[in-house]
Amino acid sequence: MSRQRKIALVGNPNAGKSALFNALTGARQKIANYPGVTVERKAGRFVLPTGEPVEMTDLPGAYSLEATSPDEEVTSKVIRGQFAGESAPDALVVVLDASNLEQHLVFAQEILALGKPTVIALNMVDLAQRDGLVLDPALLEQELGVRVVPTVAVRGRGLAELAEAIASAETRLPGPGITDLSLIERRVAAHAMAEGAILSETRRHRLHARLDRVLLNPWAGPVILAAFLFVVFQAVFAWATPFADALEGGVGWLTALSIEFLPTGLGRDLLTEGILGGVGSVVVFLPQIVILFAFILAMEASGYMARAAFLMDRMMAHVGLSGRSFIPLLSSFACAIPGIMATRAISDPRDRLTTILIAPLMTCSARLPVYAVIIAAFIPRQTVGWGVGLQGLVLFALYVAGVLGAMIVALVLRRSVTKGAASGFIMELPKYQLPRLKDMAIGLWQRAWIFLRRAGTIIFTVTVVLWVMLNFPQARPGESQVDVSIAGRVANGLAVVVEPIGFNRDMALALIPAMAAREVAVSSLATTYAVDATDEEQQAVELGDQLKARWTLPMALAFLAWFVFAPQCMSTIAVARRETNGWKWPTFMLVYLFAMAYAAAGLTYWAAVAAGL
Ligand SMILES: Nc1nc2c(ncn2[C@@H]2O[C@H](COP(=O)(O)OP(=O)(O)OP(=O)(O)O)[C@@H](O)[C@H]2O)c(=O)[nH]1
Ligand SMILES: [Mg+2]
């Protein structure tokens, strides 16, 4: 009896090969690993309409026969019959995603050039149709020289036709002109074929396809994304200024009013120094937070966010992370807490742990007040040419520093503590749409409310406690209140540790309450300087001017560098403990992040001093 014939399913990742395989072979499958590599080998039995039983193999997805990953290597070798212990398949079924035809046709041509009996499954026609695209399989058959069968693997549609085509696949030969093409030529041909095969297309689909061609282009896409983010950070400063000034004026006016009409005493001081001075200094950053979130929400609602994730997937793979980590990391730009909770969607435990450990490096919105107050005080409001503001540029650089830090940490972790291979990325790109104003307004209101609630609860409480610790014991005439206070003495202890990285006592003092939340660093500084003020006039000096008078530029830059890394957020640590079931990883996170913060601040300080800043 002759050997059972072998049929292999090939195609780009996510074309629906496994779905087709499952639909065709049903329960008659065997799953093992290919000998020597940990790549899944799925084989199953399948009976052709002619009654002939054949063996079907589901190959890992690949973009080309020139392998770049272990998965692709297996696919390439098996198809060519070069895999030890595996006989070459007798016929191939190339699975194409109809909604992504152009890209998938590039690989399909490479397969056809092998000259093996081949059938094409034009899969996911349901998705294409949903998006307003109808294709002509007959035209593709003509161009490719093999049978093209439309299928919907998940609904079992087109399977009988496909089986029939497989049974008669041997006699077919690849059409002329397909062999010996270079990659560029295959791309051009794929483009022409994909365009030519369109029977009908809605205007909207055409527009979306064009947008994707530009925004997802491997070269132009990342440049556009970077340019867009750059504009966002420019806007955070440029647009917020009038609103922030108005809020600042309001807080100043209230302070002046309280000083004029309330009797002198501790009660008034608590109001002016602690509540208005401290909490008020954080609240003035509301416009910046709102602008930042307006952009983030618009990116999400328009469908661009998913494209950004798609673009990032490659970069993430270089540091051993999958694109699955992108969404948790992206939400960490708002706040690491929802980000860490979103890692539950990552199935690989090491992938997930790595993502949790680097999530605090994404610049959360709590850092914005710290960054903004220091930048506004120390970075001149000037342009560096082409209308690019220096302040926005520095802010952009701080965000980039966080991301780069996270990438480096991920790279190191994936080679040591959380060793393992990166897993693939599956994500459906949503349709583009204009963000709805009402949804945006609701989303913005929610973010603003979260920020204000933090100001009213955690920041308020910590600032008041700090104010009390700054005011007791009371100084005798001639003594500095901050020097004799409890808080001042604790800070003096910490100052010894942070002196080598350029921090003064006031900065050390701000770091302690900021363990509760990063914004508290701003309210602490404001309160400390208000308490420290000898008279009312000095007390009314704005925080920015106080900082300018008391800090040098290298100190300010070191403080910024510190906050890029420092894990100063109690809630994040608590969530990390809950999500990793213990103290081991949160402790690890604290230690490594503080070490990085210390090193970064120190390097920044000494480099700035050496540069004569
Ligand atoms: N709507 C629709 N979804 C499909 C169809 N075929 C597959 N899918 C879905 O598309 C996703 C990817 O399908 P898979 O079968 O895993 O793709 P694959 O080609 O095996 O992917 P790799 O193994 O990563 O190369 C899954 O979520 C499937 O449920 C289809 O015809 N229509
Ligand atoms: Mg598969």
Side-chain angles (χ1 to χ4, degrees), residues 5 69 83 153 181 214 240 304 309 401-402 501 503 506 537:
R5 284 199 303 146
S69 72
F83 201 93
L181 292 184
V214 179
Y304 185 52
I501 58 171
F503 287 15
D506 307 338
E537 208 171 302

Side-chain angles (χ1 to χ4, degrees), residues 370 373-375 377-378 506-507 522 525-526 529 541-552 556 559:
V370 183
V373 81
I374 307 279
I375 290 176
F378 288 93
D506 307 338
M507 291 156 96
V522 174
L525 285 169
Y529 289 142
V541 175
E542 274 175 15
L543 178 56
D545 296 322
Q546 295 271 19
L547 294 176
K548 251 189 284 190
R550 295 165 189 254
W551 298 13
T552 63
F559 201 64

Side-chain angles (χ1 to χ4, degrees), residues 337-571:
I337 296 159
I340 289 176
M341 294 199 305
T343 61
R344 288 180 192 171
I346 303 173
S347 47
D348 182 311
R350 285 159 190 278
D351 245 5
R352 176 163 182 242
L353 181 59
T354 316
T355 312
I356 292 176
L357 289 174
I358 63 169
L361 280 168
M362 300 298 126
T363 304
C364 66
S365 55
R367 282 172 174 102
L368 195 56
V370 183
Y371 287 173
V373 81
I374 307 279
I375 290 176
F378 288 93
I379 308 296
R381 189 181 289 182
Q382 65 185 42
T383 60
V384 292
W386 299 312
V388 174
L390 186 60
Q391 293 186 330
L393 194 64
V394 172
L395 187 63
F396 183 65
L398 289 168
Y399 275 76
V400 171
V403 173
L404 284 182
M407 295 289 143
I408 294 168
V409 171
L411 200 64
V412 173
L413 288 178
R414 291 299 269 166
R415 297 198 172 186
S416 53
V417 188
T418 58
K419 208 174 199 150
S423 48
F425 183 40
I426 303 171
M427 181 171 183
E428 198 188 318
L429 294 177
K431 281 194 218 178
Y432 287 107
Q433 54 192 11
L434 281 178
R436 293 199 338 168
L437 228 51
K438 191 172 153 218
D439 295 342
M440 290 270 301
I442 293 173
L444 277 183
W445 166 245
Q446 283 169 345
R447 290 310 313 186
W449 177 237
I450 289 172
F451 176 73
L452 290 176
R453 208 175 48 204
R454 276 168 73 93
T457 52
I458 184 165
I459 298 167
F460 175 83
T461 312
V462 176
T463 309
V464 168
V465 170
L466 176 71
W467 180 85
V468 171
M469 289 175 73
L470 276 166
N471 274 281
F472 296 96
Q474 289 267 304
R476 280 188 292 271
E479 277 180 335
S480 148
Q481 176 56 44
V482 176
D483 282 344
V484 298
S485 70
I486 307 171
R489 284 182 202 176
V490 175
N492 277 329
L494 182 65
V496 181
V497 183
V498 292
E499 211 173 327
I501 58 171
F503 287 15
N504 63 15
R505 200 264 324 266
D506 307 338
M507 291 156 96
L509 202 159
L511 293 186
I512 302 168
M515 267 321 288
R518 294 178 178 91
E519 307 100 309
V520 175
V522 174
S523 64
S524 304
L525 285 169
T527 299
T528 306
Y529 289 142
V531 170
D532 203 27
T534 42
D535 55 43
E536 278 158 12
E537 208 171 302
Q538 206 187 336
Q539 199 183 315
V541 175
E542 274 175 15
L543 178 56
D545 296 322
Q546 295 271 19
L547 294 176
K548 251 189 284 190
R550 295 165 189 254
W551 298 13
T552 63
L553 180 56
M555 287 163 74
L557 295 176
F559 201 64
L560 287 176
W562 171 273
F563 273 98
V564 171
F565 300 100
Q568 308 226 166
C569 177
M570 216 86 96
S571 323

